[in-house]
């Protein structure tokens, strides 16, 4: 019997607690895990950089008093942090239809590098509105 194999074009979600994890959703929210936040030096804000030639985003730690500072806020109790970057993503037309994760986030000279050429869709489907939790 001849088989016609096709490779599944996705990967399982990474075990985010052990390595750097960064995602971006269609609302311009950048999520980073605890390890990524610690590797950045636990800053209160970041300035967002963009390399148009290499299609890369850079997050450089900075103080909240800087004019281009995007605050970092905690989400939940797991250590996940969020950066609301809708103004940045709209200005540069980086608007994914779902949530994407960066496959190789790395820190280079104190800047977190997010390569838009190396992303994958997350396995979670987007929500269709907010649901109130029952208590």
């Amino acid at each position: 019997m001849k088989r016609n194999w096709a490779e599944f074009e996705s990967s399982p979600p990474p075990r985010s607690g052990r390595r750097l994890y960064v995602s971006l959703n269609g609302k311009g929210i950048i999520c980073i895990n605890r390890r990524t936040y610690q590797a950045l030096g636990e800053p209160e804000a970041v300035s967002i950089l963009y390399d148009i030639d290499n299609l890369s985003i850079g997050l450089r730690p900075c103080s909240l008093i800087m004019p281009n500072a995007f605050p970092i806020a905690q989400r939940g109790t797991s250590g996940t942090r969020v950066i609301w970057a809708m103004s940045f993503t709209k200005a540069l037309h980086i608007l994914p239809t779902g949530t994407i994760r960066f496959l190789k986030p790395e820190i280079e000279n104190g800047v977190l590098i997010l390569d838009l050429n190396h992303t994958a869709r997350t396995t979670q489907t987007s929500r269709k509105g907010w649901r109130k939790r029952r208590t």
Side-chain angles (χ1 to χ4, degrees):
M1 174 191 307
K2 181 159 171 65
R3 300 196 187 274
N4 186 14
W5 294 107
E7 186 172 350
F8 180 63
E9 295 185 10
S10 186
S11 60
R15 299 183 74 175
S16 60
R18 296 186 180 172
R19 54 186 219 189
L20 303 181
Y21 178 86
V22 183
S23 66
L24 171 67
N25 68 20
K27 296 179 182 179
I29 299 173
I30 300 171
C31 291
I32 61 176
N33 69 347
R34 180 180 305 174
R35 183 166 304 257
T36 306
Y37 182 64
Q38 290 170 343
L40 276 173
E42 300 183 3
E44 56 187 358
V46 292
S47 59
I48 301 179
L49 313 169
Y50 186 66
D51 180 357
I52 197 160
D53 296 331
N54 297 311
L55 290 175
S56 296
I57 298 171
L59 301 179
R60 181 174 49 206
C62 69
S63 172
L64 272 176
I65 61 171
M66 300 299 289
N68 298 326
F70 285 79
I72 297 177
Q74 185 167 348
R75 174 177 277 177
T77 58
S78 66
T80 300
R81 300 295 199 274
V82 295
I83 303 159
W84 289 277
M86 180 60 98
S87 59
F88 167 77
T89 58
K90 271 189 174 180
L92 292 170
H93 305 288
I94 303 170
L95 300 169
T97 55
T99 302
I100 59 170
R101 64 183 165 94
F102 295 92
L103 297 176
K104 297 177 183 178
E106 58 187 15
I107 296 188
E108 188 177 287
N109 298 325
V111 176
L112 177 62
I113 308 297
L114 309 174
D115 190 349
L116 289 165
N117 295 312
H118 295 94
T119 62
R121 288 187 57 96
T122 59
T123 55
Q124 181 179 4
T125 60
S126 59
R127 293 183 181 175
K128 303 292 183 202
W130 293 97
R131 288 178 258 159
K132 187 174 182 181
R133 290 187 181 175
R134 295 182 183 178
T135 56

